């Protein structure tokens, strides 16, 4: 029984992008295994890269938002209580 191939994955609707040839060094055995599942290795890698970039962007946005919340909480604490070191400052 033949399984579905990666090039059957529905890619998100987007306008055509300019493509360019690049050189990659990949594990030969892994490439051969992947070719058994897809006739379009470049297309498969492109979809996987798009997914990776989207996940990484979301992760970084979440990390930035968490840091923003920490900074805001510290600002609130400072506004209410000042800093513990203020009583020792000679300035």
């Amino acid at each position: 029984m033949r399984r579905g191939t990666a090039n059957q994955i529905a890619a998100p609707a987007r306008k055509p992008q300019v493509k360019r040839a690049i050189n990659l060094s990949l594990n030969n055995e892994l490439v051969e295994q992947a070719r058994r599942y897809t006739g379009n290795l470049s297309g498969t890698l492109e979809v996987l890269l798009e997914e990776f970039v989207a996940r990484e962007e979301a992760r970084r946005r979440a990390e930035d938002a968490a840091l923003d919340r920490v900074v805001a909480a510290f600002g609130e604490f400072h506004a209410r209580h000042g800093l513990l070191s203020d009583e020792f400052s000679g300035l």
Side-chain angles (χ1 to χ4, degrees), residues 2 12 29 36-37 45 75 77 82:
R2 180 147 173 107
E29 187 175 320
R36 288 184 225 141
Y37 299 107
L45 288 171
F77 179 87

Side-chain angles (χ1 to χ4, degrees), residues 68-78:
D68 289 344
R69 289 190 299 273
V70 168
V71 169
F74 180 77
E76 288 178 26
F77 179 87
H78 181 260

Side-chain angles (χ1 to χ4, degrees), residues 14-47:
R14 59 193 162 98
K15 66 181 186 175
Q17 300 292 317
V18 175
K19 297 186 180 207
R20 67 183 176 106
I22 62 168
N23 291 320
L24 295 173
S25 296
L26 301 171
N27 177 301
N28 188 53
E29 187 175 320
L30 184 60
V31 170
E32 292 305 318
Q33 289 174 350
R35 287 192 186 278
R36 288 184 225 141
Y37 299 107
T38 181
N40 184 357
L41 191 56
S42 292
T44 301
L45 288 171
E46 188 170 332
V47 168

